[in-house]
Each structure stands twice: as C-alpha cells, then as structure tokens.
Amino acid sequence: MPIFATPDSWILETRNTAYALGINASGALVHRYWGPRLPYESDYPPARDYGEWSSFYGPGEINLQEYPTYGGASYREPCFKATFADGVRDTVLEFRSSEVQGDELQIVLEDAHYPLRVTLHYGVLEDLDLLERWVTVQNFGTDPIRLERVLSAQWHLPILEDYRLSHLGGRWLEEFQWVQEPLSHGVVLLESRRLTSGHQHYPWFALDRVDAPALEESGELWFGALEWSGNWKATFERTEFGSTRVGIGLNDWDFALLLAEGESFVAPKSVSGYSSAGFGGASRAMHRHVRSRLPHRDAPHKVLYNSWEATGFDVNEAGQTELAEIAASLGVELFVMDDGWFQGRDSDRAGLGDWWPDARKFPRGLEPLIERVNALGMDFGLWLEPEMVNPDSDLYRAHPDWAIHFPTRARTEMRNQLILNLAKLEVQDHLINVLDGLLSSHNIAFIKWDMNRNASEPGWEGAQEPRALWVRYVEGVYRVWDTLSARHPNVTFQSCSGGGGRSDLAMLTRADQVWPSDNTEPTARLKIQHGASQVLPACTLEAWVTDMESDRMPPFGRGEDALRRGKLPLEFRFHVSMCGTLGIGANLLHWNDSEREQARALIAQYKAIRPIVQGGELYRLKSPLTGAFSALEYVSQDRAEGVLFAFRTHMPEPVVLPPLRLAGLEPAALYRMDGLEGTLSGAALMNVGISLELKDFSSVLRRFYWV
Ligand code: GLA
C-alpha cells in the first residue's frame, strides 16, 4: 500500500522514496517531506505552520503551501489564479475531503465563497520511484469562471539548502543542451510561448544541493518533467527564508480559459522523483516511465531510411525506388519518404494542406512505390505536416479562415506557411478525414509527423475566450492524433518539429520516437543525445547516419576534397547513431561498394545489440561535454550483457586515455568482453576499469556478456 492516509495527513511511498503532506494548525494544506523513504510513519515531519512573521509577511506566506493560489497576502509564484464573474480575482481554497483510489490520492479543495472546486491528484508510481501530480478544476455553479493560471504542481525542496538547477536549453539545430546554474534569491523562469513545447527549453529540471552536488551515479537529486506539448512554464523560486519551490504547468502567458456552468478542466501531468543515485539514477527512472507508456511498448524500433538530407523536395517514384532497393540490400527495415511527395510540393513555398500524391512525381499514385518497398521486405513510412497550410494550396484557397490569424493584422509566414487552427472542431474533423483516408487506402506503417513553425497573431475569431487557443489547439492535436491511432493501431508515429521542437513526454505517449534534431553531425549529436538522455530512453531517439560534415575536423584542403574529409569515419557516424534508434539519412547513391559493405555489417550488428540499447539501462560513463573523449554503456535489465560505446574526437598527441570504469554490472559475475583476453569480474570492470586505445576521430563498440 503506497499511500498512508489519515483525515489530515498523507504519506505517499514508492519503493525508495517518499512524499508527505498534511493540514497544519491553521487548516492549510502544506508540504511536509520529499526525499528518501523513512522507516516509520512517525519519522516524517509534521505539517508546520510558520504563522505571521511580521507585518510584511501575510499569515501563512512562509508556509510551504501545497498548491498556492493568487489570493490573500501572498506574494510567491502562485499555482492558480482565477477571476470570478463579479470581478473578484482572489482565490481562497479550503480543504474539503480526500480519497484514495488504488495508487492515486485525491485531495478536494473548494473556494471559501465561490463554486470552484480544485482537486489535487497524486499518482504513485511505486516501482518507478516517481510521483505524478495534476489538478482538475471544476465550476460547480452557474456563473462562468475565468481561469488565468493553472499549474499542475508545486514541488517543494527540503528547506535551508542552496540548490543548483540543471536543465536543457537550446535552439533549432542545437536542442537538449545541458545547462547548470546555482539558484540565487528570486525566480528563474523556463518556458515556451511558441505553441509547442519548443527547442529553447525542454520541460524537465533537476535540482541538487550546492554543498553536496550530485554526480553521475551518486548524490541526491530532485527532478521532474511536464507532460504537455504546448506552452508551458516552470518557475524556480528561492525565497528569503531559504525555501526553494518549483511551480510547473501550463504557461499563463496570454492564457485564459472560461469554465462555464458545470465545466471542468484537467491540467497536464507533472511527473517527479527523488534519486539518491545521481543523474544516472534519475534518468533511468524516467526512461522506464517513458518506455512503459510508448504506444507500442517493447516492440523493437526499426532501422529506417529517410532520404530528406539526400534528395530534399526532389522525390519521385523512380528515385525513391532506387534508394529503397539499396536501403533494403543494406538491411534497412523501414523506408520513409519525407517531404516533397504531395500536391504542388516542389519547395517549401507550396502544397502543405493538400495531402494527396503529386501526379507529376507519382503518376501512378503511391501504391506502386509502397508495393515495391514491401516486396523488398521493408515497411513504408511517410512524412506529414498536418497542422500546417501554405497560402499556395487548395486547402488555403478554400478555407483561408482556418489559419490562425487576427483579421486586422498581416499573417506572419515562417517557412512560407501558416498554422491551421486546430482548436476548431471542423479543422480537426477535416484532418481526421483526410489522414484517415490516406492511412486506410495505403499500406503505411509509419508517419513522421512534423510541425515546422511557431505561432504568431494567435487570434481565434468567434471564440468566447480566444486566449484559450494555446490549450485548445494542443488538445485538438491530441484528438486528431489519438483518433488516427485508435483507427490505425499498427501505425508507428514519430514526432518532429524542425528537429526536437516537440519531444515532450505527452508526445511520447502518442509517438514511439522523436526526431531530436535536424543537426545530424555526429559530434553535435553526441551532445544532443547526452542532453536528451537525461529524460528520454534511447529507443525514442531516432538517429540517422548522414553525410553531414563535421566542423570539428581540422581543415584539410579545399573544395570537394575538404567536403569529403569533413565527414567523420563511417564507423564513427554509425556508432553515434547506434546509441539511439539507428536510421540512415545519407544519399545511398553516393556510397561506394566498400561503404555499403561496412554499412551492411554495422546494421546487422545494431540489430544484434538492439534489445540492449533500446530496452536496457543507460550508464553515461564519460560526458561528451568536456574533453574529447566520451563513453556510454547500455546494460540489459538482468545485467547479463551489455554494450559499451566510446568516442574520441581531436586531442593533441600523445594522449593516453585513463582507464574506463564500467557501471551497473553484477559485481561477482564473470564477463567476457570483445577485444579483451579472458574474463573479468563485474567488480573489476567497475572498479579497475579497462584501457582503450583510440585514435583521433575514432570510436569503439564492444559487447560484453556473462560467461
Ligand atoms: C523538418 C524536419 C526535417 C525534414 C523537413 C522537411 O525540418 O525536421 O527532418 O522532414 O522538415 O521539410
């Protein structure tokens, strides 16, 4: 039983961690504890009431409110703000009741005066050592209530410590970049205002103590993420009393929702955890969580080919067939045709919205290509960007008002495209019909669902509350996606937004994988994959081997020669991609026989290690963020086998690499490892380590297993 409840106190326990809350002497719901699980219920601290401290601090302001509202004399970042029909914008939530249903605790709060009910939900993921929090808001009266901020949770850290914040920043071509900074007094804000979860910040955080920093495999860490694919925000507030609180949920920037009589709103889930095994422990918990909710769970993620970087918009039946034949001969399992296949799509200036094959490129439709791909033993996949429309398209000419816009303003185009207003039911229904038709009439096994611009002029004509667009749009995307998935359960989806602009955890309950970045240069990818791996398991990270040059190579010569030499060795590129879900994105026509031969062998090798990479546990042995040497390891769940990857970029000679210590092995078991004589115990591999010899721009992949 992971939930211990009394009428005024609750302890939520997972296998190794605990979270406690309760009602204090003033009747307020406050946080009590978040950290390692303690032996006895009486060990958890009581629900404290810090009372009124001076005339400059409201009663209860210093308390660790479990779900603070905008109301009373309170000046912290609130989780909730509403305006009632009479103009009052002060919310006073009082405890009403609690209920335990299996692994979920619900705490019901109601406003002291108005018919507003806020239910706090706590889901205990006992085996994963994670806790989910979200809220339901209900108007049980008749007058409308305008919601202006509804965060999913407030997470309190143990007080009186100084904390360091780790998060993932970035931009297009440089997603998932690792950032660490101390929290000082004030508020740090991470957010997206772009309609998607965004390239700029990933909705994930980790906090550790400045005086006892977490390392990769040790130390305390409090971490969490938000499961939402639209505008979000996370505030990290350090108060003058040494308390540290994290608010996370929907972004309240330009946001409002009207709750009419009897209506409810359910906020997205926030999932968090406490790790005593550092960043590695935290990310393995997140990986298990994400994997457990993927649409196709444990099914292996196939080796795919995608010709976007090779052919751009220049696709047609003959060219794609030629590439498919080579791809199949290398062992590729899924052939994906990217952008350029549909009506009028010769460049990014036209076509989005008209989702039928362009008759000039596919005079016989898509069927002959799909049949050929299937005959070659591969599944067929297709690129779509359903939420978009080019002004130069039949769809836009028929429905210009379906694009998000303000009638008196220019419609800002980015990549020559506008966004369809998926908050509108008729737009959702149109997309469901068109895409259902496409999937029903072709043998399509995989969809790369792209979203290539951010919102501007966010108008929604006719809506009672147009600022609800930010939320209703995302719910519309979910409805279209979920309807298609329900009708076509065998189709696998990949979420892409100009690379990793929409890679959040809510997407990964709909898509089995994300496209982490349009940057496929392997040294950049090592860093992107390193950041993404804090949250996302390897199976969700699609990684193509391409011919993108490395700007980290020393310059050699000019022209063609420099281009060729700017590419890292094929094996290095493969090894980087084999750390995720392997794909190929290079122009296969340009690969010579020996490159194809090498690719064939590496793809076969990937298929052999795939269960370990895609379903095993990740240990980041040496970060690619510092120095020119990095290493990581995947170990099967039973620790019986694993695979080690190591990469070296450029280092001045001579360089002797330090011994590399492995992790996560069974200490007493004997392992055999490729390239090593005899056997070594898990303890020796972890404590003494192995020495690797690696030349500049080279890599190793070594398998090991119990004997
Ligand atoms: C985005 C994606 C790319 C490719 C193009 C096609 O940029 O990230 O992988 O699909 O769109 O236009």
Side-chain angles (χ1 to χ4, degrees), residues 377-391:
M378 297 185 292
D379 285 342
F380 180 80
L382 201 59
W383 179 94
L384 289 171
E385 200 180 355
E387 298 149 75
M388 297 293 155
V389 65
N390 283 116

Side-chain angles (χ1 to χ4, degrees), residues 172 308 313 338-339 345 383 415 448 450 452 496-499 515 518 544:
W172 179 61
W308 170 248
F313 296 101
D338 210 278
D339 200 349
R345 188 68 166 174
W383 179 94
R415 212 189 189 213
K448 175 176 172 183
D450 212 335
N452 273 321
C496 173
S497 177
W515 177 233
D518 282 340
W544 303 345

Side-chain angles (χ1 to χ4, degrees), residues 238-251:
R238 176 96 179 126
T239 73
E240 61 274 44
F241 298 104
S243 65
T244 302
R245 29 172 88 196
V246 181
I248 190 164
L250 298 175
N251 203 334

Side-chain angles (χ1 to χ4, degrees), residues 99-121:
E99 195 181 339
V100 176
Q101 292 175 357
D103 292 344
E104 185 186 322
L105 166 68
Q106 294 185 2
I107 294 197
V108 179
L109 310 171
E110 284 178 7
D111 187 85
H113 179 83
Y114 296 94
L116 168 75
R117 182 174 300 131
V118 176
T119 305
L120 309 186
H121 302 260

Side-chain angles (χ1 to χ4, degrees), residues 60-334:
E61 190 189 342
I62 305 173
N63 287 339
L64 307 180
Q65 304 103 330
E66 188 65 9
Y67 194 71
T69 59
Y70 175 91
S74 178
Y75 311 94
R76 305 293 172 208
E77 282 290 330
C79 280
F80 186 88
K81 182 164 189 276
T83 300
F84 299 99
D86 58 6
V88 168
R89 2 179 256 289
D90 180 286
T91 301
V92 178
L93 293 180
E94 296 175 341
F95 174 73
R96 289 288 183 270
S97 63
S98 76
E99 195 181 339
V100 176
Q101 292 175 357
D103 292 344
E104 185 186 322
L105 166 68
Q106 294 185 2
I107 294 197
V108 179
L109 310 171
E110 284 178 7
D111 187 85
H113 179 83
Y114 296 94
L116 168 75
R117 182 174 300 131
V118 176
T119 305
L120 309 186
H121 302 260
Y122 297 79
V124 182
L125 307 178
E126 192 177 3
D127 292 340
L128 296 168
D129 278 330
L130 295 172
L131 200 61
E132 293 177 322
R133 285 186 62 184
W134 71 100
V135 301
T136 305
V137 186
Q138 193 195 359
N139 174 359
F140 61 91
T142 46
D143 292 337
I145 301 174
R146 188 179 303 274
L147 306 180
E148 288 157 5
R149 183 187 285 212
V150 187
L151 297 193
S152 299
Q154 173 107 150
W155 299 97
H156 291 275
L157 279 287
I159 52 175
L160 294 179
E161 306 289 354
D162 284 331
Y163 288 95
R164 175 177 70 162
L165 170 65
S166 303
H167 59 101
L168 300 166
R171 53 182 174 168
W172 179 61
L173 292 179
E174 215 173 16
E175 297 86 341
F176 296 107
Q177 301 298 305
W178 181 245
V179 184
Q180 286 192 311
E181 54 191 307
L183 287 182
S184 52
H185 284 183
V187 181
V188 171
L189 168 66
L190 305 178
E191 63 170 350
S192 166
R193 300 178 174 189
R194 294 167 180 267
L195 193 62
T196 59
S197 35
H199 296 85
Q200 289 71 15
H201 301 287
Y202 188 87
W204 170 85
F205 66 88
L207 292 156
D208 59 345
R209 285 165 48 181
V210 168
D211 66 348
L215 300 175
E216 187 56 36
E217 293 298 337
S218 63
E220 293 190 294
L221 198 68
W222 292 261
F223 60 94
L226 183 72
E227 303 182 5
W228 180 244
S229 311
N231 289 2
W232 61 276
K233 100 183 218 178
T235 55
F236 302 85
E237 184 172 7
R238 176 96 179 126
T239 73
E240 61 274 44
F241 298 104
S243 65
T244 302
R245 29 172 88 196
V246 181
I248 190 164
L250 298 175
N251 203 334
D252 58 338
W253 172 83
D254 195 36
F255 159 86
L257 275 183
L258 263 192
L259 276 194
E261 177 180 357
E263 273 184 357
S264 294
F265 173 70
V266 184
K269 282 183 179 169
S270 158
V271 59
S272 279
Y274 161 83
S275 160
S276 57
F279 291 93
S283 44
R284 285 189 292 276
M286 290 303 287
H287 294 173
R288 285 195 286 272
H289 177 55
V290 173
R291 275 200 303 252
S292 73
R293 294 159 1 121
L294 293 175
H296 298 99
R297 301 288 186 290
D298 300 326
H301 292 199
K302 297 188 172 173
V303 178
L304 69 73
Y305 178 75
N306 179 307
S307 69
W308 170 248
E309 284 191 29
T311 58
F313 296 101
D314 191 12
V315 299
N316 56 46
E317 189 183 319
Q320 291 290 301
T321 305
E322 195 179 5
L323 287 165
E325 278 163 4
I326 307 172
S329 77
L330 302 182
V332 167
E333 301 161 303
L334 165 65

